Amino acid sequence: MTIVVQVSAGPGNWERYHAPLTQALLDVGIDATVTQTAAPETVDYLVYAPSSPLQDFTAFNRCKAVLSLWAGVERVVGNPTLTQPLCRMVDPALTQGMIEWVTGHSLRHHLNLDQYINNPDRIWNPECPPLASERVIAMLGIGALGQACAQSLRSLGFHVLGWSRAAKVIDGIQCYHGDDGLKSVLQQAQIVVTLLPKTAETENILNARALGWLPQGAVILNPGRGALIDDDALLAALATGQVAHATLDVFRVEPLPLDHPFWAHPQVTVTPHIAADTRPATSAKVLAENIRRGEAHEPFLHLVDRHQGY
Amino acid sequence: MTIVVQVSAGPGNWERYHAPLTQALLDVGIDATVTQTAAPETVDYLVYAPSSPLQDFTAFNRCKAVLSLWAGVERVVGNPTLTQPLCRMVDPALTQGMIEWVTGHSLRHHLNLDQYINNPDRIWNPECPPLASERVIAMLGIGALGQACAQSLRSLGFHVLGWSRAAKVIDGIQCYHGDDGLKSVLQQAQIVVTLLPKTAETENILNARALGWLPQGAVILNPGRGALIDDDALLAALATGQVAHATLDVFRVEPLPLDHPFWAHPQVTVTPHIAADTRPATSAKVLAENIRRGEAHEPFLHLVDRHQGY
């Protein structure tokens, strides 16, 4: 029997996903019609991104799962019409892209590359940076992505501290949790990486109080979610020098509005939500595997816990 | 019996090395006088850098070894008065510093960080860079330092090719050698890292002919020796765009003269010979271990082969 897979994922994604998804389904032995439009009551699986006009899931009464193309599901998890199982995207290429972004931007600040990239006075100052082992990086969020980044930084020699809301134990990473843990981690951090999901508890986690715990001159890297940081508090901390630099990949409004103070700020680097892109070739395989599981009545991978919100 | 260790290592190094070396010798059970000046015929070991005024080793007739503070020994290996055993510095912190420099500068170019660091037009272009696995890095020179850097780049996912004059086999690195191998490696390379010793055979190894083998838009990172690159050929290759960027840590004359065209060149980044600095705390331990070996009549570590020149 042929199943129906509808892709509702916003502009451009149909063209990017149609062929790889069809192939990946064939590869796992699933006979499927992959389509942009079908009668909702005939759809077996929805491949979804919140940039799609589809916001009401009520009519999809046969749909066995909504498979998000995005790792972050905060824009859909609270939708009351979404009663079907919801799965996050955990794409190995997305993880790899995130590792590269976090490692590259950490090394930019660790090695102070900017002083050499922009050196109009031709200053020859043969002073070495400290070694990575003398640099403390705090990873806020040590789920799949955070752990992968932490291990990459650790293998380069950095002293990595991990923080999560609930206690975790991770090999080689000194882990902290809860409010007291957050204070303790931030007080030690020279570089802070925010890789938390966006939930009611993580929104504005880097607010004025938390930024105040940082040592003078700390650097912030946010490839997670724009709402993790209180923008005004960050601008204030940049003004005092408590935060020396922030490199931000995610924002409350994207694309970042042209009049936003982050754009021209000399201590802020904006990257355009590229730290962890979903890549069709690899993520189509993850989607196909979850559809195969659904058809075989096996548990879905990366199923979202509605209560936790991720 | 107390042995005499003379430090002749140019400006600043006496202050940096005196205490760590004294301590490291104590730690391996060697009773030594560590001094800047002694009667040459009383000196048992010379800790040496070519920036020292000492250039005639004839009078050091009891000296059991000259221990270089530098990894590169080309400025001393041909000295006809130097008949004592000569050891290179292989400092674990130097290796670690080199790994960090090479990895950081590779990621700068791989991720094209400059387009975000300097983005006055506020361009939001959410196009991802390729993954490291799609990027070929050629490592010219796969001795201790080159191998360590190659493994770090490989663990980040880069496709690393190695090249050396004579054939080598290294786990996980596709190795080439000789003139044919050089052409083959350079034809594939998007990023080239030069980490060869300076010898008659490696001088100007990146000349106009070799640079002509590179694909259009390649990037060169030279943390090895200034003389590995023909500066005029490099400037010509930058002008045509065959080489998109060069990041250079070492130069034929250092500090790089203020009127050198590299300084103001928009496609050149100058770093002030910092990729691999010798750090007193760790290198003093290496010096002490070699002195311990000399006293115990054990073979020296990192003994230079005068014929090969390194």
Side-chain angles (χ1 to χ4, degrees):
Chain A
M1 204 189 93
T2 301
I3 64 164
V4 175
V5 177
Q6 178 172 320
V7 177
S8 296
N13 277 326
W14 169 252
E15 294 73 13
R16 297 173 74 211
Y17 277 90
H18 179 217
L21 182 56
T22 303
Q23 183 61 50
L25 286 164
L26 274 175
D27 290 347
V28 294
I30 299 285
D31 182 16
T33 301
V34 179
T35 176
Q36 280 192 91
T37 46
E41 65 279 9
T42 67
V43 171
D44 294 287
Y45 296 90
L46 257 174
V47 173
Y48 185 74
S51 47
S52 163
L54 170 59
Q55 300 294 331
D56 184 346
F57 296 87
T58 312
F60 292 85
N61 55 23
R62 190 170 103 183
C63 179
K64 294 167 213 165
V66 173
L67 307 172
S68 171
L69 275 189
W70 292 10
V73 292
E74 72 273 3
R75 280 176 59 185
V76 64
V77 72
N79 186 323
T81 70
L82 175 53
T83 54
Q84 299 87 347
L86 171 66
C87 299
R88 296 189 308 120
M89 175 51 65
V90 180
D91 172 8
L94 180 152
T95 304
Q96 180 60 29
M98 182 64 88
I99 289 172
E100 295 175 16
W101 189 96
V102 168
T103 308
H105 285 277
S106 294
L107 283 170
R108 171 191 168 199
H109 292 294
H110 167 58
L111 298 172
N112 196 358
L113 295 190
D114 295 36
Q115 75 173 296
Y116 310 114
I117 293 174
N118 184 22
N119 183 11
D121 296 333
R122 308 182 185 193
I123 293 166
W124 179 278
N125 170 18
E127 210 166 291
C128 279
L131 289 178
S133 55
E134 302 163 70
R135 188 80 73 182
V136 176
I137 301 187
M139 184 71 55
L140 306 192
I142 38 179
L145 280 173
Q147 282 185 43
C149 294
Q151 297 296 5
S152 171
L153 293 169
R154 189 177 157 244
S155 75
L156 267 170
F158 286 106
H159 186 153
V160 183
L161 310 178
W163 181 86
S164 49
R165 282 188 309 118
K168 286 194 183 184
V169 177
I170 297 167
D171 194 33
I173 308 293
Q174 207 175 326
C175 290
Y176 296 74
H177 69 279
D179 290 341
D180 290 350
L182 184 63
K183 182 173 181 180
S184 173
V185 160
L186 291 179
Q187 283 175 334
Q188 301 172 67
Q190 293 170 275
I191 298 175
V192 180
V193 183
T194 43
L195 260 175
L196 291 156
K198 184 192 159 196
T199 67
E201 283 145 316
T202 63
E203 192 162 355
N204 290 321
I205 192 161
L206 289 189
N207 55 20
R209 181 160 165 264
L211 292 170
W213 290 328
L214 290 168
Q216 191 74 7
V219 165
I220 290 174
L221 308 180
N222 184 14
R225 284 286 175 251
L228 299 175
I229 301 182
D230 176 335
D231 289 358
D232 291 333
L234 175 58
L235 288 165
L238 288 163
T240 64
Q242 180 135 27
V243 174
H245 198 96
T247 293
L248 309 173
D249 186 57
V250 286
F251 306 91
R252 284 164 198 269
V253 178
E254 294 182 7
L256 185 66
L258 285 172
D259 60 353
H260 196 287
F262 286 159
W263 272 118
H265 201 297
Q267 294 156 266
V268 176
T269 302
V270 171
T271 69
H273 204 142
I274 51 163
D277 201 24
T278 307
R279 290 159 203 261
T282 45
S283 54
K285 288 184 190 162
V286 179
L287 298 170
E289 169 62 13
N290 252 345
I291 292 172
R292 187 200 66 72
R293 285 170 171 254
E295 294 305 290
H297 304 287
E298 295 175 19
F300 287 116
L301 295 172
H302 319 307
L303 191 66
V304 170
D305 178 328
R306 302 299 174 97
H307 184 68
Q308 289 204 303
Y310 59 90
Chain B
M1 205 191 93
T2 302
I3 62 166
V4 176
V5 177
Q6 179 172 319
V7 178
S8 296
N13 278 324
W14 168 254
E15 293 73 12
R16 299 173 72 212
Y17 277 91
H18 180 218
L21 182 56
T22 303
Q23 183 61 50
L25 286 164
L26 274 177
D27 290 346
V28 294
I30 299 284
D31 182 16
T33 301
V34 180
T35 174
Q36 279 191 92
T37 46
E41 65 279 7
T42 66
V43 172
D44 294 286
Y45 296 90
L46 257 174
V47 172
Y48 186 73
S51 46
S52 161
L54 170 59
Q55 301 294 332
D56 185 346
F57 296 87
T58 312
F60 292 84
N61 55 22
R62 191 170 101 182
C63 178
K64 293 166 213 164
V66 174
L67 307 172
S68 171
L69 274 190
W70 292 10
V73 292
E74 72 274 4
R75 280 176 61 185
V76 64
V77 71
N79 185 324
T81 70
L82 175 53
T83 54
Q84 300 85 348
L86 171 65
C87 299
R88 297 188 307 121
M89 176 50 66
V90 180
D91 171 10
L94 179 152
T95 305
Q96 179 60 30
M98 181 65 87
I99 289 171
E100 295 174 17
W101 189 95
V102 168
T103 307
H105 285 277
S106 293
L107 283 169
R108 170 191 169 200
H109 293 294
H110 167 59
L111 299 172
N112 197 359
L113 295 190
D114 296 36
Q115 74 174 298
Y116 310 114
I117 293 174
N118 183 23
N119 182 11
D121 297 332
R122 309 182 185 193
I123 293 166
W124 179 277
N125 170 18
E127 210 166 291
C128 280
L131 289 178
S133 55
E134 301 163 70
R135 188 81 71 184
V136 176
I137 301 187
M139 184 71 56
L140 307 191
I142 38 179
L145 280 172
Q147 283 185 44
C149 294
Q151 298 296 4
S152 170
L153 293 169
R154 190 175 156 244
S155 76
L156 267 169
F158 286 106
H159 185 152
V160 182
L161 310 178
W163 181 87
S164 49
R165 281 189 310 118
K168 286 194 183 183
V169 177
I170 298 167
D171 194 34
I173 308 293
Q174 209 176 323
C175 291
Y176 296 74
H177 69 279
D179 290 341
D180 291 350
L182 183 62
K183 182 174 181 180
S184 174
V185 160
L186 291 180
Q187 283 176 334
Q188 300 171 68
Q190 294 170 274
I191 299 175
V192 179
V193 184
T194 44
L195 260 175
L196 291 156
K198 184 192 159 196
T199 66
E201 283 144 316
T202 63
E203 191 162 355
N204 290 321
I205 193 163
L206 290 187
N207 55 19
R209 183 161 163 261
L211 292 170
W213 290 328
L214 290 168
Q216 192 73 9
V219 165
I220 291 174
L221 308 180
N222 183 15
R225 282 288 174 254
L228 300 175
I229 301 182
D230 176 335
D231 289 357
D232 292 333
L234 176 58
L235 288 165
L238 288 163
T240 65
Q242 179 134 26
V243 174
H245 198 96
T247 294
L248 310 172
D249 186 57
V250 285
F251 306 90
R252 283 163 198 269
V253 178
E254 293 181 6
L256 184 66
L258 284 172
D259 59 354
H260 196 287
F262 286 159
W263 272 120
H265 201 297
Q267 295 155 264
V268 175
T269 302
V270 171
T271 69
H273 204 142
I274 51 163
D277 201 23
T278 306
R279 289 160 202 262
T282 45
S283 53
K285 288 185 189 162
V286 179
L287 298 170
E289 169 62 13
N290 252 345
I291 292 171
R292 187 199 65 73
R293 284 169 171 253
E295 294 305 291
H297 304 288
E298 294 176 20
F300 287 115
L301 294 172
H302 320 305
L303 192 65
V304 170
D305 177 329
R306 302 298 174 97
H307 184 67
Q308 290 203 303
Y310 61 91

